Each structure stands twice: as structure tokens, then as C-alpha cells.
Amino acid sequence: MPKITRYETHDVRFPTSLTGDGTDAMNTDCDYSSAYVTIYTDSDLVGHGMTFTIGRGNDIVCATIKEVTYRLIGKEVEDLFADMGTTWDYLTADPQLRWIGPEKGVIHIATGAVNNALWDMFARLRRKPLWKLIVDFTPEEFVRATTFRYISDAITKEEALELLKAKESSKKEREAKVREFGYPAYVTSAGWLGYSDDKIARLTKEAIAQGFNHFKMKVGADQADDLRRGKLIRSIIDDPQYLCKDAPRRDPTSSDLKGKNAGPTGSVLMIDANQVWDVQQAVDYVKGLEEIKPWFIEEPTAPDDILGHAAVRKALKPYGIGVATGEHAHNRMVFKQLLQAEAIDVCQIDSCRLAGVTEVLSVLLMAAKFGVIVCPHAGGVGLCEYVIHLSLIDYICVSGNMERNVLEYVDHLHEHFVAPCSINSNGRYNVPSNPDEGYSIEMKKDSIAEYEWPNGSYWAGRRNGPQ
């Protein structure tokens, strides 16, 4: 039986600030970064995991990952895999490390990297992609892999088991469907705040040509400019001349687009403020963007302000604009309260802000119980590789629905991964199918060598060469 023996961490940073990728009203200078960990055993079995940051502070996360991973040294992997819910509780239960959370901030996202690496190792040992490993669980195994601490007032283990059993008999049908058609995606790459109008127009047209019909733009720096940029995007996505001749025509009144403010071509626009406003500011600002007909406003205010999100949602409902959040929701308890307070229309789990797959499963179950769709946050580096697995688990095992769901896709940095995600000609994620790719997060050794901070070849060259 393999036993965990050691680990390595890498502080990997990509210079995306040079091209304006990732720019929004709150985060104006983003170097997409990976706090990366590999866990080794006394066999050939390994597990890779990471969490995402935007530059400085990535080293702090790496240092914290080391502290969390140390608790696993000497553990038999089959003992850990037999009850991943209990394993997750063990990782979060160090009494001194817990003090600097608890279950939030750096300690929590570091735990996410470690938990994700364990799940990657589990999937590799069983020779299945991560999503398939969990889809093949029995409902009882699924529940054992989940943490229910602090959320039993929202969903109990018994309720979760009942929900999963109700979907069990039709799992194979849904798996076959998504393998054939792919999982619906939306594109953010065209809407970064730092892009010129020409670049926005070019990228929007390219996205339409790729089959996308959901588009997101960043807002919050200047209302008049946001309205102008939104009209520019709308003028392209609502114009039939830009549609692919072979693409299926979408009905704006269909059930999958109902309530999304879809335009005449069936295209949907979403907006994202990245937490920049106070509550009343958010309401007033978004009312001023009613003309571009957004489906939702994402992160309108502070991510911990549950009642603030509820107030924004109530105020914008008469305008047909919903609320989405979750990218910076610290833990499952924040999601629990957002759902209980009816504060969101769209639940946006993050594969790294939550402490790994185990906690994500908790949120998927709660969202399904409350009838709120899950559209994960992605982008960054590695997040798209991660979240396709999570959306597949949600669709096949938990919610049973993908017709209204869309999974964020950002076309950045996929080339640095051994098993990168991909999009088909209809703007949908392809289903990961390599039995040896685990959680799809293994980074190429050459990429680590080039972009590791501060001594990778790229960063050393920047220091020593012409600036």
C-alpha cells in the first residue's frame, strides 16, 4: 500500500500584467500565479495540486501549503481515500494552524491545494479522470467524501443521500449526453477592463466564431464607459451577420435562455464588478447599465456581505437583472448563508478558494437542494482545467441539469499543462477522457523551470537583461 513520503512546492508566476489580462475595477495589475504542490509516495504514485493567486503573496501560500502537507507524511493513501470527508476534517483540524483561519484566507486556500492534490492522486491510482472517479461513486461513497460540518442546518447527510439516490438511475444517460455534446461554456477573455475597443471587438467576434453565446465583461471603474463598452459588445453579439453559418440558431425564449435577457441571436451578456461597490452604489450603478440587458451582476459588493447581496438582488429584480457570486466566498458556510438568505441567482464556486474538491461537493449539494444553478468561476491559471471536472460531477450526480448552466472559459495559459482543457466547435468544454490525467492540473516541468519565482529563467532574464 503506497505511503506518503514527501512533497514539493513551487511558486510559479506568469507575467499577464504586461498584456492587461485579468484586469478589472478592483484588480488592476494581475500576474496570474500558481502556488503548486506535488505530493510523493514510496511508489510511483504522485498527486498534483495548486491554488491560484495574482502575484505577490504567492510565496506566502506556498509556505502555508508546506505546513498543511506535513500532516500527511507517513499516511497510507488507501486509508485517506477510504473516507475523504474525514481526511478533509483532519487537514483542517490542526489546532494551531486553524487559529490563523479558521477555514478562511491563506490557510484555507493552501488547504485547497493540498486537498486537490490528494484527489488528483486518488484519481490517478484508480486510473480515472477526477470527474469519472466521483461519478462512479455510490451515493454512500459520495456522502463519505463530503464534509457536512457547520452546514447540517442547510442539508443533512440523509438529505444529501436522498438527493443523490434520486439521480443515480439516470447518471449513465447524462454521462453519455455530455460526452457527446460537451459542457456549456461562456467567455470572459473579450471583456477585460484594460483592453482597447479594437481588441474587445476582435475577441468578441472570435468568440462567436468559436460557438459561444454567453459573454462576460468587467465593469465598475466608470459607468458611462461601461455602458459604451457594453453597447459595443451587444452590437456584435446581437448581430446575425457575425454568427457562424453552420452554428445552430438559438431561440431567446427557450427554457435554457429564459430570464437571461438574451438578445435576438440568443446571446447573453453578464457583467462583473469584482466587489468594487457598497450596496447602494451597486444598485444605482447597475440600474444605469439596464440598457445593455445583463443577465446578472457578479460580485457587486464585499464577498462576505450576505445581507448586502440579498439587498442588491431584491433591488435589481424588477429590472430583470440577477446576482451571482462565490469567487471569493471563503467557505461552504458563506454559500450556506447566501442560499438561505435568497441572496443569489447563480452560485459561483471556486476550485481554489474553497478548500478543495471535498468542500466543493458540500456546496454542490446545498445549491441543488435550494434550486440554484452552479456556474463555477474559472480563468486565471489552472482553474479551467479544474472546474470542468466539478461541473461534470454537478450535472451527472447532483443537479441533473446543464441546460441553463454555463462554465467560465478564459483562453489563457492552458499550454503550460500536461492535460489542458479544450473547447469544441459549439463553444462547449470537451470532457476529459485520459485515464491518467487525474485532476488535469499537472504542470509541465519546463513551464515551472521558466516561470518559477524568483529564479526561473524568465524572471532571471527580466532582472539581468534589458527592461
Side-chain angles (χ1 to χ4, degrees):
M1 182 185 296
K3 182 184 294 186
I4 293 174
T5 57
R6 64 186 182 93
Y7 55 88
E8 290 180 359
T9 63
H10 298 278
D11 178 351
V12 184
R13 308 186 192 186
F14 298 95
T16 49
S17 60
L18 298 179
T19 52
D21 299 339
T23 49
D24 57 58
M26 182 65 78
N27 306 296
T28 57
D29 189 21
C30 306
D31 283 328
Y32 283 167
S33 302
S34 168
Y36 189 81
V37 61
T38 299
I39 302 175
Y40 295 90
T41 67
D42 55 6
S43 71
D44 293 336
L45 181 65
V46 299
H48 305 282
M50 59 151 279
T51 197
F52 169 66
T53 78
I54 59 170
R56 289 191 306 277
N58 204 50
D59 50 344
I60 298 172
V61 183
C62 285
T64 309
I65 287 172
K66 293 176 182 178
E67 295 296 323
V68 177
T69 313
Y70 183 76
R71 286 174 66 77
L72 297 175
I73 299 298
K75 298 293 184 183
E76 304 277 0
V77 298
E78 289 290 3
D79 292 341
L80 297 171
F81 299 158
D83 191 335
M84 286 292 276
T86 298
T87 297
W88 190 91
D89 290 339
Y90 170 74
L91 282 175
T92 61
D94 182 296
Q96 295 185 4
L97 293 179
R98 179 178 166 77
W99 184 261
I100 59 173
E103 296 189 41
K104 63 176 70 73
V106 173
I107 187 66
H108 207 55
I109 62 175
T111 303
V114 179
N115 184 251
N116 287 337
L118 278 180
W119 276 104
D120 180 68
M121 182 183 289
F122 190 176
R124 288 169 183 271
L125 184 60
R126 299 293 188 262
R127 297 204 68 239
K128 297 179 180 181
L130 185 278
W131 71 268
K132 180 62 171 167
L133 172 77
I134 295 178
V135 162
D136 288 346
F137 281 177
T138 65
E140 290 79 9
E141 289 171 326
F142 192 112
V143 168
R144 280 202 303 276
T146 306
T147 179
F148 287 88
R149 191 176 192 187
Y150 302 139
I151 64 167
S152 60
D153 56 322
I155 189 167
T156 64
K157 289 183 179 180
E158 292 74 22
E159 287 175 316
L161 196 59
E162 183 179 353
L163 186 154
L164 293 165
K165 285 182 175 179
K167 300 291 190 296
E168 182 72 5
S169 63
S170 51
K171 284 198 306 187
K172 289 184 178 179
E173 178 183 331
R174 285 190 295 279
E175 181 178 334
K177 181 178 180 180
V178 75
R179 282 184 184 273
E180 180 181 359
F181 295 105
Y183 193 91
Y186 74 87
V187 65
T188 301
S189 300
W192 298 122
L193 209 57
Y195 285 177
S196 67
D197 285 2
D198 286 345
K199 189 170 184 178
I200 290 171
R202 174 176 60 81
L203 292 174
T204 302
K205 292 172 185 176
E206 289 176 2
I208 293 172
Q210 290 177 278
F212 290 100
N213 77 312
H214 285 64
F215 307 82
K216 190 169 77 179
M217 59 175 279
K218 300 292 184 173
V219 299
D222 180 274
Q223 189 184 55
D225 191 58
D226 291 340
L227 186 60
R228 182 188 60 77
R229 290 166 54 246
K231 287 180 177 179
L232 171 62
I233 294 174
R234 270 290 183 197
S235 72
I236 298 169
I237 66 176
D238 290 346
D239 191 334
Q241 71 170 307
Y242 296 113
L243 294 177
C244 296
K245 292 181 181 178
D246 299 329
R249 294 299 180 260
R250 299 178 173 98
D251 179 2
T253 64
S254 61
S255 59
D256 58 323
L257 293 175
K258 186 178 179 181
K260 291 186 175 183
N261 289 326
T265 65
S267 290
V268 176
L269 180 63
M270 301 96 86
I271 57 176
D272 182 0
N274 292 91
Q275 318 158 28
V276 76
W277 300 311
D278 281 357
V279 171
Q280 191 57 49
Q281 262 187 308
V283 173
D284 295 340
Y285 198 110
V286 176
K287 283 181 181 178
L289 300 180
E290 181 188 8
E291 186 178 349
I292 60 174
K293 297 181 179 180
W295 170 23
F296 62 65
I297 172 64
E298 179 178 341
E299 286 199 310
T301 190
D304 303 333
D305 189 355
I306 285 87
L307 296 182
H309 278 85
V312 173
R313 182 174 184 250
K314 182 178 180 181
L316 293 179
K317 196 166 187 178
Y319 297 84
I321 302 171
V323 170
T325 201
E327 173 181 347
H328 281 79
H330 286 297
N331 50 44
R332 65 206 177 281
M333 290 78 78
V334 174
F335 281 106
K336 176 185 75 170
Q337 294 175 66
L338 287 166
L339 293 165
Q340 289 174 327
E342 299 182 351
I344 52 175
D345 298 274
V346 177
C347 174
Q348 292 177 308
I349 54 170
D350 184 276
S351 56
C352 295
R353 183 72 56 180
L354 293 172
V357 175
T358 300
E359 190 173 30
V360 167
L361 298 182
S362 303
V363 179
L364 296 181
L365 289 166
M366 285 191 291
K369 179 184 173 182
F370 282 83
V372 173
I373 63 172
V374 177
C375 300
H377 166 250
V381 55
L383 303 190
C384 294
E385 278 68 30
Y386 267 154
V387 294
I388 178 55
H389 292 267
L390 304 178
S391 286
L392 290 170
I393 294 164
D394 178 51
Y395 168 54
I396 298 171
C397 293
V398 185
S399 69
N401 178 60
M402 67 171 176
E403 311 316 318
R404 295 185 58 76
N405 302 56
V406 279
L407 172 55
E408 186 169 20
Y409 177 74
V410 176
D411 193 12
H412 301 310
L413 306 173
H414 304 300
E415 68 273 15
H416 297 290
F417 293 91
V418 173
C421 67
S422 63
I423 297 290
N424 67 25
S425 60
N426 292 318
R428 289 171 172 253
Y429 274 85
N430 291 311
V431 173
S433 58
N434 185 338
D436 297 316
E437 70 181 276
Y439 201 1
S440 305
I441 208 65
E442 180 180 0
M443 195 176 288
K444 293 177 179 177
K445 290 181 173 60
D446 288 349
S447 295
I448 295 174
E450 185 174 0
Y451 291 103
E452 186 156 18
W453 176 269
N455 296 317
S457 60
Y458 173 84
W459 296 110
R462 291 280 293 178
R463 285 197 308 275
N464 301 328
Q467 299 298 306

